[in-house]
């Protein structure tokens, strides 16, 4: 994020001001009459969605609310709720990299990679060696990286992969002369995706970078550890039919960015059920008629009955998200936010803090994660609706970036999400309204300045 800040002025000069839509018309959609979706991909069958939801929640136990939420997601995202997936929650970089590299080792047909940041450090070099070895074995390897997110990565890193036969695509180059699909500096690819053989996929908040390699365990618990604290983040591994939807998003991005045509591979193998979790892929890009991730999240908060638990790296809410959180607290829903206590990008950090007083006065509980830099982007609502992905709760994620989240339904996975939330809560400090109102003047000035720019941060 800090690299992008240096290019902010230029982006402002070159970009128009998109706006977030009114969510209310979508929230009134109960499956019978949707808002105009002529510019959106047609939704898939609703009857299958209803059947899955009915199995998750007995009639009368919030089933109508969950069905309305599922109907809305289908309408705005154009993707089905797909049953039969095995979704594994991965806490922090070490667990994620271990699982990723094991699956890449097993690849027999192709490996598709898409990351905002790929760094030329120990983690990045381990990945490069593995990809080069798999390519030598005849496995197709395709890599999309964001030009700004990977700005500090030397070209030699990607040239080496290219020379080994790996297909490389730079998303929205900083140099307009290198752009193949129009030049939109402010549109960044913030997704973090790995797909292996079209059967297994990973996504979440973790890039390819050494900052995640230490994990988030306190040094004393590790018996020493590196001097640099590991970042706290979350990913998921998915095996099952919903992987096909992630694959479609990846291939669409490759085509949209006009990468070299990919040779035919088994992109969409037969995918049998691997587990019990219903899941839906929700992707968004600046050119979409409706920002699906945004509408989905606001709707889920407004539909909450018991609890809204958000863990968010970058938090600069728009007015509708802010009102949804405050309204939920007002009707007795337990609304808890875990946010960073420090950050790698001061602007978004102070923009988020500028909203604390408003939220605290409304009864929203705010906690700040200590000791480790928080980079997770997760939500669990009522213990049954969960999402993990790349999108933060800020204007940039909702309007300016390509993002991808996965929604997972079910109390089993929800319980895992709640357990992870409690662990972060144990390592966080609660922000009290009385203490917050006594914060120093220089903090207030930073918040005021950051709020002015939050649309672009």
């Amino acid at each position: 994020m800090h690299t992008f800040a240096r290019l902010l002025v230029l982006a402002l000069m070159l970009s128009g001001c998109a706006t977030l839509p009114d969510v209310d018309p979508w929230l009134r959609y109960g499956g019978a009459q949707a808002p105009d979706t002529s510019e959106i991909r047609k939704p898939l069958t609703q009857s299958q969605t209803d059947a899955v939801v009915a199995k998750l929640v007995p009639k009368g136990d919030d089933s109508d609310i969950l069905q309305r939420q599922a109907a809305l997601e289908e309408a705005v995202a154009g993707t089905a709720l797909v049953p039969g997936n095995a979704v594994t929650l991965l806490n922090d970089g070490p667990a994620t990299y271990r699982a990723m590299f094991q699956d890449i080792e097993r690849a027999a047909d192709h490996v598709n990679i898409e990351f905002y940041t790929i760094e030329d450090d120990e983690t990045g070099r381990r990945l490069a060696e593995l990809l080069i070895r798999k390519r030598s074995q005849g496995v197709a390897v395709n890599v999309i990286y964001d030009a700004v997110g990977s700005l500090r990565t030397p070209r030699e890193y990607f040239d080496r992969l290219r020379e080994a036969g790996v297909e490389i695509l730079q998303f929205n180059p900083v140099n307009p002369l290198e752009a193949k699909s129009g030049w939109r500096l402010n549109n960044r690819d913030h997704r973090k995706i790995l797909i292996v053989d079209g059967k297994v996929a990973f996504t979440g908040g973790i890039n390819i970078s050494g900052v995640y390699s230490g994990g988030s365990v306190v040094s004393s618990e590790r018996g020493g550890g590196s001097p640099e604290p590991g970042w706290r983040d979350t990913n998921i591994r998915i095996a099952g039919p919903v992987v096909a939807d992630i694959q479609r998003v990846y291939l669409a991005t490759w085509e949209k960015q006009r990468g070299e045509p990919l040779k035919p591979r088994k992109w969409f193998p037969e995918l049998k059920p691997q587990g019990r979790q219903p899941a839906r892929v929700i992707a968004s890009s600046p050119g979409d008629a409706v920002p699906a991730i945004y509408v989905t999240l606001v709707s889920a908060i407004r539909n909450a009955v018991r609890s809204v638990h958000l863990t968010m790296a970058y938090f600069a809410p728009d007015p509708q998200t802010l009102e949804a959180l405050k309204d939920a607290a007002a009707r007795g829903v337990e609304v808890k936010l875990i946010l960073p206590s420090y950050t790698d990008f001061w602007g978004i950090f102070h923009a988020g803090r500028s909203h604390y007083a408003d939220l605290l006065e409304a009864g929203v509980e705010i906690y700040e994660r200590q000791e480790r830099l928080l980079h997770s982007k997760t939500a669990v609502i009522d213990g049954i609706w969960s999402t993990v992905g790349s999108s933060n709760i800020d204007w940039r994620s909702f309007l300016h970036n390509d993002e991808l989240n996965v929604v997972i339904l079910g109390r089993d996975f929800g319980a895992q999400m709640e357990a992870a939330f409690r662990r972060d809560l144990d390592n966080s400090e609660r922000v009290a309204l009385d203490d917050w109102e006594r914060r120093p003047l220089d903090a207030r000035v930073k918040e005021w300045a950051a709020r002015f720019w939050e649309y672009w941060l």
Side-chain angles (χ1 to χ4, degrees):
M1 292 295 288
H2 62 281
T3 304
F4 180 80
R6 298 169 186 168
L7 300 167
L8 183 58
V9 174
L10 182 58
L12 289 170
M13 295 169 60
L14 297 171
S15 304
C17 291
T19 58
L20 291 166
D22 182 4
V23 178
D24 285 340
W26 292 95
L27 299 187
R28 289 194 292 269
Y29 172 45
Q33 169 122 23
D36 181 12
T37 59
S38 58
E39 297 182 54
I40 308 173
R41 289 170 294 166
K42 293 296 182 182
L44 302 178
T45 63
Q46 184 63 39
S47 59
Q48 292 179 340
T49 299
D50 292 342
V52 171
V53 171
K55 290 180 181 178
L56 288 172
V57 184
K59 191 70 176 174
D61 186 16
D62 308 328
S63 60
D64 291 342
I65 293 173
L66 199 58
Q67 285 177 337
R68 286 200 303 272
Q69 177 68 20
L72 177 140
E73 291 172 9
E74 189 122 346
V76 299
T79 52
L81 182 65
V82 182
N85 304 284
V87 184
T88 304
L89 189 63
L90 299 168
N91 290 309
D92 296 323
T96 297
Y97 294 146
R98 184 165 53 250
M100 280 183 173
F101 291 174
Q102 286 175 353
D103 279 318
I104 293 174
E105 286 279 12
R106 290 192 284 260
D109 185 72
H110 66 270
V111 176
N112 289 340
I113 286 176
E114 181 177 356
F115 284 96
Y116 177 68
T117 300
I118 301 178
E119 292 193 347
D120 184 17
D121 56 14
E122 182 180 354
T123 302
R125 288 189 285 274
R126 283 178 57 206
L127 175 65
E129 293 293 341
L130 180 54
L131 296 180
I132 290 170
R133 185 166 71 253
K134 295 308 295 185
R135 186 69 195 97
S136 70
Q137 296 170 3
V139 174
V141 181
N142 308 300
V143 175
I144 303 173
Y145 71 94
D146 185 83
V148 170
S150 303
L151 190 63
R152 294 184 298 176
T153 304
R155 283 182 177 265
E156 290 78 12
Y157 177 91
F158 297 107
D159 288 344
R160 181 171 175 244
L161 289 171
R162 193 178 287 108
E163 290 167 3
V166 175
E167 294 290 338
I168 302 291
L169 177 60
Q170 182 182 199
F171 187 97
N172 280 350
V174 174
N175 183 351
L177 299 179
E178 297 179 358
K180 298 179 180 179
S181 61
W183 192 56
R184 297 183 63 187
L185 180 62
N186 202 33
N187 173 204
R188 305 315 329 157
D189 185 357
H190 197 240
R191 295 169 181 162
K192 293 90 174 164
I193 297 172
L194 165 66
I195 306 162
V196 178
D197 289 345
K199 299 176 181 179
V200 174
F202 293 78
T203 194
I206 296 178
N207 290 289
I208 303 300
S209 171
V211 299
Y212 305 94
S213 295
S216 62
V217 180
V218 179
S219 301
S220 61
E221 295 175 352
R222 295 200 312 257
S226 63
E228 289 294 325
W231 287 23
R232 167 72 188 99
D233 215 330
T234 303
N235 255 46
I236 50 175
R237 178 189 185 272
I238 310 169
V242 81
V243 173
D245 285 334
I246 300 177
Q247 184 83 289
R248 290 186 187 96
V249 172
Y250 181 90
L251 295 175
T253 301
W254 191 280
E255 182 177 356
K256 182 175 67 174
Q257 286 288 302
R258 298 184 183 177
E260 292 296 322
L262 298 176
K263 295 179 181 179
R265 286 282 174 165
K266 298 177 182 178
W267 304 124
F268 299 101
E270 180 182 0
L271 295 174
K272 297 180 180 179
Q274 299 292 316
R276 300 173 54 189
Q277 279 104 14
R280 188 194 311 272
V281 173
I282 302 182
S284 63
S285 298
D288 292 349
V290 175
I293 293 175
Y294 169 72
V295 174
T296 294
L297 182 62
V298 174
S299 172
I301 295 170
R302 290 194 181 183
N303 280 326
V305 176
R306 286 177 291 277
S307 61
V308 173
H309 293 162
L310 307 180
T311 307
M312 203 57 51
Y314 305 115
F315 179 76
D318 67 286
Q320 289 185 103
T321 305
L322 206 59
E323 288 305 311
L325 291 169
K326 294 191 297 183
D327 288 347
R331 64 177 182 269
V333 175
E334 179 185 83
V335 181
K336 293 184 177 181
L337 313 181
I338 300 178
L339 305 175
S341 60
Y342 68 100
T343 184
D344 62 332
F345 184 39
W346 78 270
I348 199 70
F349 179 69
H350 290 291
R353 283 184 157 195
S354 73
H355 297 281
Y356 277 19
D358 196 18
L359 289 164
L360 291 169
E361 289 170 357
V364 174
E365 296 179 30
I366 299 175
Y367 299 80
E368 290 190 338
R369 184 60 158 84
Q370 304 296 305
E371 298 168 342
R372 298 297 180 256
L373 193 150
L374 181 67
H375 197 255
S376 295
K377 305 101 167 46
T378 67
V380 56
I381 294 177
D382 290 343
I384 193 169
W385 186 96
S386 304
T387 185
V388 178
S390 66
S391 179
N392 294 291
I393 296 181
D394 60 9
W395 295 82
R396 167 150 298 282
S397 291
F398 295 145
L399 285 178
H400 307 310
N401 288 345
D402 280 33
E403 305 277 7
L404 184 139
N405 282 20
V406 177
V407 170
I408 307 102
L409 299 185
R411 298 198 185 281
D412 290 346
F413 188 79
Q416 296 178 53
M417 291 284 287
E418 290 285 13
F421 186 84
R422 287 193 297 273
R423 286 195 297 272
D424 281 322
L425 210 60
D426 289 341
N427 289 284
S428 301
E429 291 185 1
R430 184 170 180 175
V431 179
L433 180 57
D434 289 345
D435 293 338
W436 186 251
E437 290 178 339
R438 291 193 294 269
R439 69 195 184 281
L441 178 61
D442 64 332
R444 297 170 187 263
V445 171
K446 290 176 182 177
E447 292 162 20
W448 174 85
R451 173 82 76 92
F452 181 79
W453 292 99
E454 68 179 348
Y455 176 90
W456 298 103
L457 298 176

